[in-house]
Amino acid sequence: MRSQSRCLFLTGCPARPVVELIGGISRKMLTQPLLRPEAHGRVRRHVCDEVPPRVEYERTPLGAPLIDPIHMLAEWARANGDAVLDALDTGPEPVAHSD
């Protein structure tokens, strides 16, 4: 799942559990994929007036309907990931050309 989709799917979760769920991702790498969805109006960013600084993201009404398709894509990837990797290992099927 692309990082933008993954972040949109997890938006609304506190950052620390999201970092743990995704694994091995820095806060910077968690924030960068949210810049485009924010610019497109799919997520809303709120800077909390705290020390240390904290930023929260939430899905907007425009972004909320994307959750079901993202979930379906994630399920497909889980179910078919091994087959995709096997196909990548074996290489592309030869393409028949008709003259």
Side-chain angles (χ1 to χ4, degrees):
M1 185 184 302
R2 290 196 48 171
S3 58
Q4 285 183 16
S5 300
R6 184 175 27 218
C7 287
L8 183 61
F9 185 74
L10 295 170
T11 300
C13 299
R16 183 171 301 251
V18 170
V19 170
E20 291 169 6
L21 277 171
I22 294 175
I25 188 170
S26 69
R27 288 183 185 265
K28 177 181 177 184
M29 292 306 295
L30 181 63
T31 301
Q32 284 180 337
L34 290 167
L35 296 176
R36 182 173 288 160
E38 180 185 8
H40 292 170
R42 296 184 311 243
V43 296
R44 186 175 300 116
R45 181 177 186 259
H46 174 73
V47 179
C48 300
D49 188 22
E50 298 178 3
V51 176
R54 182 170 57 94
V55 177
E56 294 180 350
Y57 291 87
E58 65 177 324
R59 289 182 295 268
T60 64
L62 184 62
L66 295 172
I67 299 309
D68 287 339
I70 290 170
H71 182 68
M72 290 172 57
L73 182 59
E75 288 298 316
W76 179 89
R78 275 192 282 278
N80 296 288
D82 289 339
V84 170
L85 292 174
D86 289 345
L88 289 171
D89 286 343
T90 60
E93 293 289 323
V95 177
H97 295 282
S98 60
D99 293 330

